Amino acid sequence: MAFNITRRKFLQSASLAAVALPLSGAIASESGITRSPLEPKGSLKDETVVGGVCEMCFWRCQLVGKKRGDRLVKLEGNPKSIDNGTTICGRGNAGIQLLYDPDRLKYPLKNVGERGNPKWKRISWKEALDECGTKLKAIRDKYGPQGLCMFPHGATAKYPMHFMERTIGTHNVSEASFFQCRGIRDTAYLATIGKAPNEDVDMANAKVIFLLGCHFGENVHVSHIKRYIQGLQNGAKLIVVDPRYSASAAKSDIWVKIKPGTDTAFLLAIMNYLVVNKKYDAEFIDEYGEGFEEFKQGIKDWSLAKAAKECEIPVAQIKEVADMLAANAPNVSIHPGRHVSWYGNDFQRQRSLACLTGLLGAYFVKGGWVPGKAPKVGKTSWAKKDHGDEHNLNRNADEEPLYPYSPPGTPTDLIRDAALTGKPYPIKGAVIWGQNPIQTIPGQEKMKKVLQQMDFVMCVDVMPTDITMWADILLPEASYLERHDLIKTGTQWDFADKQQQYITARMPLVAPMFERKDHVYITNEIARRMGYEKDIPVQTVAELVDKDLSVAKLSLAQLKKEGGIHLLEGKNPYEMPDDFEIYFYNEDIADAGFPGVPTYVPVEQSPAGYARLLYGRVPLHTFNRTQNNVWLHHAMPDNPVWINDKVATKMGLKDGDVVGFINQEGVKSRTTTTVKTTPGIRTDAVFMAHGYGTANPLMSVAVNAGVDDTSLITKITVDPETGAHGMRTNFVKLTKDGKVIDIPAAV
Amino acid sequence: MVTNPKMPIQSATDHIATLYRFCAQSMQYPDSEWFSENYLSSLYGLLDALGGSAEKEKLQTAFSRSKDILEELQIEHTRLFINGLPHVAAPPYGSVYLDKTLRGKYSDDILLYYRSLGYDLAAHADLPDSLIHQLEFLSFLAEDGNREGEEEFLARFFLPWYPMFAAQVKEEAQHPFYRIIVSFIDFFTQEEKEYGVQHNEA
Ligand code: SF4
């Protein structure tokens, strides 16, 4: 656009005053630049700020921030840390790019378009909170608290989740970290040893490390990896069970190239072999075991040969694994895994892992499962109130749980089915906090329909992830570098070192930019508008953290003074608790109508022409959460699909070919990726990294980069004991240049 | 230096300061506090003075078709500058263009520059490299008659990124309002690249 006058002419013209004078009357905003009474400064102050706790993944490494003025220029491990130490991983380093990502949410937004096809308008916090409060209250008043549901994730979602569950009183909360990840592991171990296992294996001091599906090196959690590497350096043998030659398999002494879905058969055969050949820890079982006889009976059919056939691996290899474990027991790390929602038969597999650990006597011993003893802090939150089980979807007509080993919350599809059918009651309001259900929960179209039928959907997040396209109101949250939130406690990473404990709390390294707010502020303001003013437990997040720290006679100020981390003397981690028991056979599980002895349930096989879709991690992304990070995207811009090289040759594919996918239900991938041919994967499966293929164009770096594996997980499989999803039960063919290519069954 | 006898320097610089401030004002998030009848008539006046009758007409047509002028501009502002589809078209921060991130080194350099001339960011301010603050800063320099500073600031800080920003806005804008505003800003800053700051005939 050109004006019909030059600037110079205009500025010199007699009419300048006539034009400019009225303009001055139109200026209403205060200037953000002021004359400074200060002496002009030539440089910005450099300083190191303590108290950071990383959240580029869930591991929570302790950080310090290097600042220049108020700008964060670098993140480093906190030298006082006895956990990650001065080390942080690539993602941890890239936190700066999240903080300053231009695509991040900045102000409250209102969707004046449609759900799924939004048109955003910036609004004030007051308007946003009024709208959230009014709408949620209206739904509660009309449909009852059960008319509201929540999909939370992450450290900041706990406080609002407790508000929803404890104060408002809805059971309809589904955490991805439970129902699409580790919940099965936790309840299976709870039903076996009475404790959720975390990843608490003393790998640093183990003689054998046994990994089932865990692919360290591709997943990176600093102190966890330190334990693993230390163990390997000390000479531990490594057994890796995986259909794919993962980064861990590459370091292994034995790689068991198992057929997907058959892991439990493999574990049962090992256990039966140990029992039959008396290679188990009889003394340990005498002392701590329950139901061992029933267990022995229950697994007795599992010969090595039977498992070898089922798992498509050599008999000799199963024997070799079993002997290696027995020879090094009890100093063996049987890793409980983390993301275990695989095939819909997962509870029994996780029980098997817990039992195998018991057979080897590998609890509370060097190299075994050792949880470490962390100091106690408070747990301030919304007060618990009894809201009864009348509207608990996880109850049958006799008031018995449908999924007795469900992790806390309600199994996702009970919520989604109720929302879609209106039975037993309608669910009309959704609060989505830090979770991206579009890319975490199988059945994307179902999820979209669930959201479509809501009266109101609100999202709180740091990034405009795919789910945020479905929000009516979208609130920008302060990131982990800009807020207080959790307290983390733990021990030194290597139990061979002097026993120590630590307490740290996440503190902001910089002030939040734009209008980002923290979870306590947002929740409290909504609570006020819904009439729960009296129930508010704390006014600010700093108050909450201080209250919890006071249990350990600490405060934020004191922590800060101590460099962000408070160290205490530790306790012997190997001391066996008095009440330790291990249930090889669990009567309660049997009473609930499920196998009380670990049992293998075969899974559906690939239809002809298809291969099973497997997915996993890459070291420089935390699934979808880091996809828009410029540095990380640059390092790993897409998710090539692994295909067995012989299969690829037969299909006429070579490295770098661009392919799409179509699954067994005819659902096509929206985007494409490249082929990676390798002998390091079975012929009946393909593999890709999870979390790619963002659809939201607001994520300008991530959008359409790679393929969204979740979009292909349309068949919904549910683990019968827990209600958690099985996510490796879908099958794909490839597409190339518009043509569908079958994947040959045998080569 | 030859001065224009009809236009005392003092008042010309004040007017130029006003023009910068008006541009800065126009880039604020639209709300009824400032986006008023008064604002619009000033805008039309400016377009008239610049011979921008075609632009004025486009703007008036767009406004006459709108059910809610303010909301329409709010949506457009959000889309272009905050979080927009298909992506935030033109973040109004220099660092995004020069450092490929918000709050890059450029934003420190500009803050230090403000300070070196005796200015600072107010407590309520946005990021140091925001377009609005750069225009406000220019306005102060003009008001102080600091032409050298103005010239240096434009050359060192403003012009290295603004054309990229302006081009993106012009390409992505759906409403004529922001196209016109970025053209104003272009108009009051761009020529300096070729001629240097010349408030009066040199
Ligand atoms: S492992 Fe990496 S991403 Fe995870 S918390 Fe530690 S530094 Fe952060």
Side-chain angles (χ1 to χ4, degrees):
Chain A
M1 175 182 315
F3 298 111
N4 295 330
I5 183 169
T6 66
R7 177 186 191 275
R8 269 191 297 167
K9 283 234 174 64
F10 174 68
L11 295 183
Q12 290 152 13
S13 72
S15 59
L16 178 59
V19 176
L21 279 174
L23 294 185
S24 60
I27 295 162
S29 301
E30 220 179 296
S31 170
I33 298 280
T34 54
R35 291 182 197 277
S36 167
L38 304 167
E39 288 290 300
K41 294 186 207 93
S43 65
L44 295 162
K45 199 173 118 228
D46 283 340
E47 60 171 334
T48 300
V49 210
V50 300
V53 177
C54 184
E55 199 184 51
M56 293 297 280
C57 80
F58 67 89
W59 201 254
R60 298 170 183 175
C61 295
Q62 296 102 66
L63 306 172
V64 297
K66 303 277 178 184
K67 278 173 83 173
R68 179 155 300 161
D70 62 359
R71 181 166 71 96
L72 192 62
V73 290
K74 190 163 186 284
L75 293 165
E76 290 176 2
N78 188 330
K80 214 181 159 187
S81 169
I82 55 171
D83 175 49
N84 57 294
T86 51
T87 311
I88 55 174
C89 78
R91 292 162 302 164
N93 266 293
I96 301 268
Q97 288 296 321
L98 167 73
L99 179 65
Y100 297 130
D101 187 338
D103 288 341
R104 255 187 78 187
L105 300 172
K106 306 171 187 75
Y107 303 97
L109 299 175
K110 179 182 169 119
N111 185 355
V112 292
E114 300 158 15
R115 282 191 205 133
N117 184 20
K119 205 185 252 186
W120 296 113
K121 180 179 113 171
R122 173 182 162 184
I123 55 174
S124 69
W125 269 101
K126 184 178 175 309
E127 187 183 342
L129 293 164
D130 284 349
E131 180 122 352
C132 293
T134 317
K135 293 272 168 64
L136 294 176
K137 185 168 179 293
I139 294 166
R140 182 206 59 193
D141 292 347
K142 185 163 173 196
Y143 300 101
Q146 67 275 13
L148 295 168
C149 66
M150 185 182 193
F151 294 90
H153 178 79
T156 63
K158 269 255 133 51
Y159 185 82
M161 182 179 95
H162 287 160
F163 169 62
M164 297 284 290
E165 287 184 318
R166 299 174 178 183
T167 311
I168 301 181
T170 178
H171 290 282
N172 297 326
V173 169
S174 170
E175 287 185 85
S177 51
F178 285 151
F179 292 100
Q180 285 78 35
C181 192
R182 68 180 163 91
I184 306 162
R185 176 197 73 180
D186 293 358
T187 59
Y189 272 71
L190 274 164
T192 312
I193 60 164
K195 290 178 172 51
N198 300 314
E199 293 79 44
D200 294 335
V201 269
D202 183 20
M203 291 184 285
N205 301 294
K207 293 185 185 153
V208 177
I209 300 171
F210 176 92
L211 306 179
L212 191 91
C214 303
H215 43 295
F216 305 154
E218 285 157 303
N219 81 42
V220 173
H221 304 110
V222 173
S223 55
H224 193 239
I225 289 286
K226 280 175 139 179
R227 286 181 164 182
Y228 167 68
I229 299 290
Q230 183 69 51
L232 295 181
Q233 267 174 3
N234 290 348
K237 296 268 186 271
L238 178 63
I239 302 168
V240 174
V241 185
D242 200 314
R244 184 178 65 95
Y245 195 62
S246 63
S248 289
K251 291 194 179 303
S252 67
D253 295 277
I254 306 176
W255 171 38
V256 182
K257 197 176 175 182
I258 197 165
K259 180 175 180 183
T262 65
D263 315 83
T264 307
F266 173 71
L267 294 169
L268 293 177
I270 292 177
M271 292 195 285
N272 189 36
Y273 172 85
L274 295 177
V275 169
V276 170
N277 294 286
K278 305 223 170 342
K279 293 193 175 196
Y280 63 95
D281 192 332
E283 217 173 286
F284 180 88
I285 289 167
D286 266 358
E287 177 109 26
Y288 305 108
E290 293 285 335
F292 189 61
E293 281 310 314
E294 291 93 332
F295 171 80
K296 258 164 63 178
Q297 280 302 312
I299 65 169
K300 71 174 189 322
D301 291 343
W302 280 100
S303 64
L304 297 182
K306 181 174 170 181
K309 188 160 171 249
E310 190 66 25
C311 307
E312 296 182 0
I313 48 176
V315 169
Q317 195 180 43
I318 311 180
K319 183 169 174 298
E320 190 190 0
V321 169
D323 284 335
M324 188 183 275
L325 290 173
N328 292 284
N331 309 114
V332 292
S333 291
I334 305 294
H335 201 290
R338 185 171 172 101
H339 174 80
V340 300
S341 50
W342 297 347
Y343 302 109
N345 66 0
D346 306 304
F347 180 79
Q348 295 292 335
R349 183 189 64 247
Q350 294 304 122
R351 278 261 298 143
S352 305
L353 284 168
C355 289
L356 175 60
T357 312
L359 275 185
L360 299 164
Y363 285 106
F364 294 96
V365 288
K366 253 186 167 196
W369 183 81
V370 187
K373 295 194 172 88
K376 293 251 167 326
V377 292
K379 285 190 173 167
T380 306
S381 194
W382 299 80
K384 284 189 186 147
K385 288 185 190 166
D386 185 10
H387 296 281
D389 271 331
E390 191 189 342
H391 300 296
N392 187 343
L393 294 171
N394 190 19
R395 292 287 181 275
N396 63 19
D398 301 327
E399 308 258 301
E400 298 291 333
L402 294 161
Y403 299 104
Y405 292 91
S406 165
T410 296
T412 316
D413 273 311
L414 293 181
I415 299 175
R416 296 200 300 188
D417 291 340
L420 290 176
T421 59
K423 287 188 181 105
Y425 51 76
I427 298 178
K428 292 292 183 185
V431 176
I432 296 157
W433 202 299
Q435 194 188 130
N436 176 10
I438 297 284
Q439 286 190 288
T440 47
I441 303 177
Q444 275 181 356
E445 291 311 310
K446 183 173 182 180
M447 195 72 224
K448 290 174 186 172
K449 283 187 196 132
V450 167
L451 296 169
Q452 219 41 291
Q453 63 83 50
M454 295 283 169
D455 289 351
F456 181 64
V457 179
M458 63 170 277
C459 283
V460 183
D461 213 316
V462 289
M463 291 300 298
T465 61
D466 283 5
I467 190 68
T468 61
M469 296 170 81
W470 300 82
D472 300 330
I473 297 285
L474 176 50
L475 303 177
E477 197 176 34
S479 74
Y480 71 98
L481 296 167
E482 302 162 294
R483 63 171 193 245
H484 289 99
D485 62 55
L486 54 89
I487 296 176
K488 186 179 178 191
T489 61
T491 67
Q492 89 284 3
W493 65 272
D494 185 353
F495 290 140
D497 291 344
K498 182 177 143 223
Q499 303 307 329
Q500 277 184 294
Q501 300 179 334
Y502 70 88
I503 303 177
T504 185
R506 182 173 282 146
M507 301 179 207
L509 299 181
V510 288
M513 294 190 297
F514 305 104
E515 290 188 0
R516 294 160 184 156
K517 302 272 188 202
D518 70 65
H519 50 299
V520 170
Y521 171 86
I522 299 170
T523 312
N524 285 358
E525 288 303 316
I526 291 174
R528 282 196 178 97
R529 286 159 169 87
M530 293 182 75
Y532 296 110
E533 171 94 46
K534 280 196 323 297
D535 298 285
I536 292 175
V538 284
Q539 295 308 318
T540 65
V541 62
E543 182 192 336
L544 183 144
V545 179
D546 257 331
K547 233 176 163 173
D548 287 349
L549 283 173
S550 70
V551 171
K553 303 201 168 31
L554 274 174
S555 64
L556 277 168
Q558 179 62 24
L559 257 188
K560 202 156 209 172
K561 232 193 267 165
E562 296 182 25
I565 299 171
H566 177 70
L567 296 178
L568 304 84
E569 208 165 294
K571 298 190 176 130
N572 175 12
Y574 300 118
E575 196 189 330
M576 176 70 87
D578 293 340
D579 56 353
F580 185 77
E581 278 176 325
I582 164 161
Y583 285 85
F584 289 96
Y585 164 75
N586 182 322
E587 200 178 344
D588 293 341
I589 302 179
D591 286 350
F594 301 98
V597 167
T599 297
Y600 169 63
V601 183
V603 296
E604 191 192 333
Q605 297 305 305
S606 307
Y610 290 86
R612 190 181 295 274
L613 173 62
L614 303 177
Y615 57 85
R617 286 210 189 228
V618 284
L620 288 172
H621 279 296
T622 301
F623 303 137
N624 186 249
R625 281 167 61 187
T626 55
Q627 286 288 318
N628 208 61
N629 190 297
V630 183
W631 290 353
L632 300 177
H633 173 80
H634 187 73
M636 292 201 148
D638 67 358
N639 55 346
V641 55
W642 292 40
I643 305 173
N644 177 278
D645 52 353
K646 293 202 183 94
V647 171
T649 307
K650 211 162 171 192
M651 292 167 74
L653 292 175
K654 54 181 189 325
D655 273 333
D657 279 354
V658 175
V659 292
F661 299 84
I662 180 164
N663 79 357
Q664 76 286 341
E665 288 169 5
V667 174
K668 286 192 182 139
S669 60
R670 230 183 47 251
T671 50
T672 53
T673 189
T674 51
V675 166
K676 170 188 159 116
T677 67
T678 169
I681 188 161
R682 288 175 54 95
T683 55
D684 55 1
V686 297
F687 170 89
M688 65 174 112
H690 173 67
Y692 279 81
T694 294
N696 193 344
L698 281 187
M699 304 253 278
S700 62
V701 175
V703 66
N704 295 337
V707 167
D708 175 8
D709 57 312
T710 310
S711 71
L712 299 163
I713 306 179
T714 55
K715 180 180 154 211
I716 292 167
T717 310
V718 174
D719 185 56
E721 288 90 343
T722 61
H725 279 132
M727 295 160 68
R728 295 181 179 174
T729 57
N730 283 252
F731 307 98
V732 292
K733 289 182 180 180
L734 301 188
T735 60
K736 187 164 175 270
D737 304 327
K739 280 195 220 98
V740 177
I741 324 175
D742 277 12
I743 301 184
V747 281
Chain B
M1 185 195 294
V2 183
T3 54
N4 183 337
K6 286 186 217 150
M7 179 77 61
I9 288 170
Q10 189 54 43
S11 100
T13 53
D14 278 352
H15 297 322
I16 290 159
T18 303
L19 287 168
Y20 281 133
R21 275 302 295 280
F22 182 79
C23 292
Q25 180 67 69
S26 306
M27 288 303 298
Q28 293 278 3
Y29 187 64
D31 69 37
S32 51
E33 292 275 296
W34 67 267
F35 191 83
S36 54
E37 280 303 318
N38 187 14
Y39 171 83
L40 275 180
S41 64
S42 310
L43 178 64
Y44 294 147
L46 186 56
L47 280 169
D48 289 341
L50 292 175
S53 53
E55 277 69 37
K56 182 174 163 186
E57 214 181 294
K58 271 188 221 155
L59 200 54
Q60 284 175 328
T61 315
F63 285 154
S64 69
R65 286 200 192 119
S66 173
K67 272 200 262 117
D68 184 336
I69 298 176
L70 186 59
E71 180 166 76
E72 201 174 319
L73 284 185
Q74 288 174 333
I75 293 166
E76 179 75 339
H77 183 103
T78 306
R79 193 180 68 80
L80 288 172
F81 308 125
I82 301 175
N83 289 110
L85 291 167
H87 54 85
V88 48
Y93 304 95
S95 208
V96 171
Y97 303 84
L98 301 173
D99 300 322
K100 306 277 175 249
T101 176
L102 277 174
R103 208 62 182 88
K105 181 164 181 302
Y106 168 82
S107 66
D108 275 355
D109 294 343
I110 207 168
L111 178 63
L112 288 175
Y113 191 81
Y114 296 154
R115 289 184 181 163
S116 73
L117 294 187
Y119 299 90
D120 210 338
L121 286 182
H124 67 268
D126 194 358
L127 306 182
D129 57 337
S130 112
L131 173 59
I132 291 174
H133 298 336
Q134 297 199 20
L135 292 166
E136 287 167 347
F137 181 65
L138 282 165
S139 152
F140 274 110
L141 295 180
E143 197 177 300
D144 291 354
N146 184 353
R147 289 182 206 165
E148 219 176 280
E150 209 179 329
E151 189 172 344
E152 188 185 355
F153 182 78
L154 283 167
R156 258 181 71 189
F157 292 101
F158 189 84
L159 292 172
W161 73 278
Y162 182 77
M164 292 186 256
F165 165 85
Q168 268 171 243
V169 174
K170 284 179 200 164
E171 188 171 326
E172 307 248 3
Q174 290 166 359
H175 195 287
F177 179 77
Y178 286 106
R179 258 193 231 121
I180 289 171
I181 300 301
V182 298
S183 302
F184 277 157
I185 302 171
D186 256 347
F187 182 75
F188 294 122
T189 57
Q190 273 292 60
E191 264 176 57
E192 308 312 335
K193 200 151 64 179
E194 287 149 51
Y195 307 115
V197 176
Q198 297 180 20
H199 289 169
N200 287 285
E201 203 137 40

